[in-house]
Amino acid sequence: MEFGISPQQIFVGNGSDEVLAHVFMALLKHELPIFFPDITYSFYPVYCGLYEIAHVTVPLDENFEIRREDYATANGGIIFPNPNAPTGRLLPLTAIERLLLAHHRSVVVVDEAYIDFGGESALALVNHHPNLLVVHTLSKSRSLAGLRVGYAVGHRDLIEALERVKNSFNSYPLDRLAIAGAVAAIGDQEYFEITRQAVISSRETLRSTLLRQGFEVLPSAANFIFVRHPQHDAGQLAAALRQRSILVRHFKLPRIDQYLRITIGTDAQCALLVEALAEIAGRSILIA
Amino acid sequence: MEFGISPQQIFVGNGSDEVLAHVFMALLKHELPIFFPDITYSFYPVYCGLYEIAHVTVPLDENFEIRREDYATANGGIIFPNPNAPTGRLLPLTAIERLLLAHHRSVVVVDEAYIDFGGESALALVNHHPNLLVVHTLSKSRSLAGLRVGYAVGHRDLIEALERVKNSFNSYPLDRLAIAGAVAAIGDQEYFEITRQAVISSRETLRSTLLRQGFEVLPSAANFIFVRHPQHDAGQLAAALRQRSILVRHFKLPRIDQYLRITIGTDAQCALLVEALAEIAGRSILIA
């Protein structure tokens, strides 16, 4: 593997959700609360509930970015997706490295489900920071959501802790066909490059089109964009799109209830979305 | 499904080990300790350790049978495999029904991993006893250990509790190929009958052969037999078989350290085992 990573530094599970569940139980359950962003992957508080893990949500800044300084106090661990979900915003490696140094006694988990769509992986830092765990999935950039394969990479001690929890839960979480598919997918670098570049290219095309339509579009390093329109209510837009059989995600949550998360489809699918939005916006009522 | 069971009464997971893990967390964690046999599936105490569940082991009787009366005290739930592992002994449905009636306030989990090799399934009792959960796997009688599919059947309330825990852990535990394989396997009743009858037939042949060789062989309703030889040390026999590349299971545990668990292979494989045992017994030292 790249970056001089050995097999003993890799933990494989039944999708990165299973990997994350074991991470919460094995590595993030401590006296001190763990930290994660206020706007982030919705499963993190769920895992905390399941395993009774105290947590503190740290607000993203006004641009929906992670501000490293806000994590400055003592904690039982830090976890965040990079790029973040559902915002798509990327934290650069330099900031992650500063975070690792500032919290060298905490486990810092970087959940890189979307990293291949525009970010630089923290795998490069694993062998320099024993407190770093990087989580990947084959469900996004490898197009294999149906196979359920995810993995974590980090110091052997972290991997051993994960193995211990796994071996008390389900010793054989991956089926043989999934293993074969995963190995083949990792081997096929060419197909991987084609598919991820296609997503990146479609994303940038969609982004500029929506900007021209008057949408605000956060810079995204993921396979989705996070958008709002200053004159149109996000809930109404989502409902009108749904009537046209176009599903986008609207989170009825503080700070982001005027945003839509739009997954990048093919260029043809993106064009249909743009057309539908133009039509809806043309006849919809402006928000107060 | 048979027995008038509806889809809402079925919980599917990534192998029956995952199903069991969720069962321990969702249904067996209470103030009172749970009960299971002293000789049983080795994973039960492991799950108790993982989830901090108090438990009491109830000794099997001198014939390695579950004695229903020994479970008479108040408890936080009861779980046992039927047929039991590694003994292979079967508890009849009438005894299970009495147990369910005597403990109608406890969840009683019957882990039927091996039921198709000679037992009568407690699925027949599910709609009469809301406290019963039956766990099955496709890894044994359906020959699909590599696919990782198991399931639990019980009252909708029990299934709902399992779904809640599952949805806080990993919402999509089965991969698409495993689902397709599982559906096909359940549909192919003819192949199922052929393979399980082959195991049953080979088991009975091996059993009578070993009895003639002087072994004691417990009656088995599983795809393995549990045997000892009054004159030969089980550990020595296992080691000698291993030298001949025949792997049998020897548990260095109280009460059963003179037994071997032998999985039923093909008739040809069983014949090789018998031949090897005859040769080893011929030259081995009798136990003191």
Side-chain angles (χ1 to χ4, degrees):
Chain A
M1 198 169 175
E2 293 173 288
F3 309 115
I5 289 161
S6 71
Q8 292 76 29
Q9 291 176 270
I10 303 174
F11 175 81
V12 185
N14 186 40
S16 67
D17 279 344
E18 181 182 88
V19 173
L20 288 170
H22 290 327
V23 164
F24 274 77
M25 193 184 214
L27 303 175
L28 297 177
K29 191 170 175 151
H30 302 289
E31 285 291 307
L32 286 171
I34 66 165
F35 287 180
F36 50 79
D38 63 338
I39 297 165
T40 196
Y41 185 32
S42 57
F43 236 118
Y44 297 164
V46 173
Y47 296 131
C48 288
L50 184 68
Y51 297 125
E52 299 178 332
I53 297 171
H55 67 280
V56 169
T57 57
V58 182
L60 297 177
D61 73 11
E62 61 285 1
N63 300 314
F64 294 124
E65 293 192 85
I66 289 172
R67 198 159 42 197
R68 186 185 55 79
E69 308 86 88
D70 297 340
Y71 290 74
T73 46
N75 56 67
I78 297 171
I79 182 166
F80 57 89
N82 196 41
N84 198 3
T87 64
R89 298 224 63 159
L90 184 76
L91 189 67
L93 271 200
T94 49
I96 292 175
E97 187 143 38
R98 282 197 299 268
L99 199 65
L100 288 164
L101 290 169
H103 297 278
H104 63 277
R105 286 183 180 169
S106 297
V107 175
V108 176
V109 182
V110 185
D111 178 358
E112 296 191 335
Y114 305 102
I115 196 71
D116 296 322
F117 300 110
E120 206 182 340
S121 174
L123 285 177
L125 305 176
V126 158
N127 277 337
H128 307 287
H129 300 276
N131 58 328
L132 170 63
L133 190 82
V134 179
V135 178
H136 279 202
T137 175
L138 272 65
S139 297
K140 317 290 182 188
S141 57
R142 302 279 175 178
S143 318
L144 292 176
L147 274 200
R148 317 304 302 133
V149 182
Y151 57 98
V153 181
H155 191 279
R156 296 170 70 135
D157 292 350
L158 300 180
I159 302 305
E160 261 183 51
L162 289 170
E163 290 285 348
R164 270 200 299 275
V165 165
K166 185 211 77 166
N167 287 329
S168 293
F169 177 83
N170 181 10
S171 314
Y172 307 103
L174 265 79
D175 81 44
R176 293 180 68 167
L177 300 174
I179 293 168
V183 169
I186 296 286
D188 193 348
Q189 198 64 17
E190 198 186 341
Y191 181 77
F192 167 65
E193 288 297 340
I194 291 167
T195 49
R196 77 181 183 118
Q197 291 301 341
V199 170
I200 292 169
S201 159
S202 300
R203 180 187 70 209
E204 295 311 313
T205 304
L206 180 61
R207 180 164 192 254
S208 33
T209 311
L210 291 181
L211 285 169
R212 282 198 303 276
Q213 280 195 346
F215 282 87
E216 292 172 14
V217 187
L218 293 191
S220 170
N223 64 346
F224 51 80
I225 52 175
F226 207 49
V227 308
R228 66 184 286 264
H229 196 290
Q231 278 94 42
H232 297 287
D233 178 72
Q236 287 179 9
L237 287 177
L241 286 171
R242 177 176 281 269
Q243 282 182 339
R244 288 161 174 79
S245 302
I246 297 174
L247 303 182
V248 302
R249 196 78 186 270
H250 176 231
F251 299 88
K252 287 171 191 152
L253 293 173
R255 300 185 70 188
I256 58 169
D257 66 340
Q258 281 308 316
Y259 281 84
L260 298 176
R261 190 192 71 181
I262 303 175
T263 299
I264 306 304
T266 60
D267 279 332
Q269 289 170 330
C270 290
L272 285 174
L273 168 83
V274 166
E275 205 179 301
L277 280 174
E279 191 193 313
I280 294 160
R283 58 172 78 161
S284 84
I285 302 143
L286 298 186
I287 53 172
Chain B
M1 200 168 173
E2 294 174 288
F3 310 117
I5 289 161
S6 71
Q8 291 76 29
Q9 291 177 271
I10 303 174
F11 174 82
V12 185
N14 186 40
S16 66
D17 279 344
E18 180 183 88
V19 172
L20 288 169
H22 290 327
V23 164
F24 274 78
M25 193 185 215
L27 303 175
L28 297 178
K29 190 168 175 153
H30 302 287
E31 285 292 306
L32 286 171
I34 66 164
F35 287 0
F36 51 78
D38 63 337
I39 297 164
T40 196
Y41 185 32
S42 57
F43 236 118
Y44 298 164
V46 174
Y47 296 131
C48 288
L50 184 67
Y51 298 124
E52 298 178 333
I53 296 170
H55 67 278
V56 168
T57 57
V58 182
L60 297 176
D61 73 11
E62 62 283 1
N63 299 314
F64 293 122
E65 291 192 86
I66 289 173
R67 197 159 42 195
R68 186 184 55 79
E69 309 84 89
D70 297 340
Y71 290 74
T73 47
N75 56 68
I78 297 171
I79 183 167
F80 57 88
N82 195 42
N84 198 3
T87 64
R89 299 224 62 161
L90 184 76
L91 189 66
L93 273 200
T94 48
I96 292 175
E97 187 143 36
R98 282 197 298 269
L99 198 65
L100 288 164
L101 291 169
H103 297 278
H104 62 278
R105 288 184 179 168
S106 296
V107 174
V108 176
V109 182
V110 184
D111 178 357
E112 296 191 338
Y114 304 102
I115 196 71
D116 296 322
F117 300 111
E120 205 182 340
S121 174
L123 285 178
L125 304 177
V126 159
N127 278 335
H128 307 287
H129 299 277
N131 59 326
L132 169 63
L133 191 82
V134 179
V135 178
H136 278 202
T137 175
L138 271 66
S139 297
K140 316 292 180 187
S141 58
R142 302 279 175 176
S143 318
L144 292 175
L147 275 199
R148 316 305 301 132
V149 181
Y151 57 98
V153 181
H155 191 278
R156 296 170 70 136
D157 292 350
L158 300 180
I159 302 305
E160 263 184 48
L162 289 170
E163 290 285 347
R164 271 200 298 275
V165 165
K166 184 210 79 168
N167 286 329
S168 294
F169 177 82
N170 182 11
S171 314
Y172 308 103
L174 265 79
D175 81 44
R176 293 180 67 167
L177 300 175
I179 294 170
V183 169
I186 297 286
D188 194 347
Q189 198 64 16
E190 197 186 342
Y191 180 76
F192 167 66
E193 288 298 339
I194 291 168
T195 49
R196 77 182 183 118
Q197 291 301 339
V199 171
I200 292 169
S201 158
S202 300
R203 179 187 70 210
E204 294 311 312
T205 305
L206 179 61
R207 178 164 194 253
S208 36
T209 310
L210 291 182
L211 285 169
R212 281 197 304 275
Q213 280 195 347
F215 282 86
E216 291 171 17
V217 187
L218 293 192
S220 169
N223 63 347
F224 52 78
I225 52 175
F226 206 50
V227 307
R228 66 185 286 266
H229 195 291
Q231 277 95 43
H232 298 287
D233 179 72
Q236 288 180 8
L237 287 177
L241 285 171
R242 175 176 282 269
Q243 283 183 338
R244 288 161 175 80
S245 304
I246 297 174
L247 303 182
V248 301
R249 196 78 186 268
H250 176 231
F251 299 87
K252 287 171 192 153
L253 293 173
R255 300 188 67 189
I256 58 169
D257 66 338
Q258 281 309 315
Y259 281 84
L260 298 176
R261 191 193 69 181
I262 303 175
T263 299
I264 306 304
T266 60
D267 278 334
Q269 289 169 329
C270 290
L272 285 174
L273 168 85
V274 167
E275 204 178 299
L277 279 175
E279 191 193 313
I280 294 159
R283 57 172 80 160
S284 84
I285 302 142
L286 296 187
I287 54 173

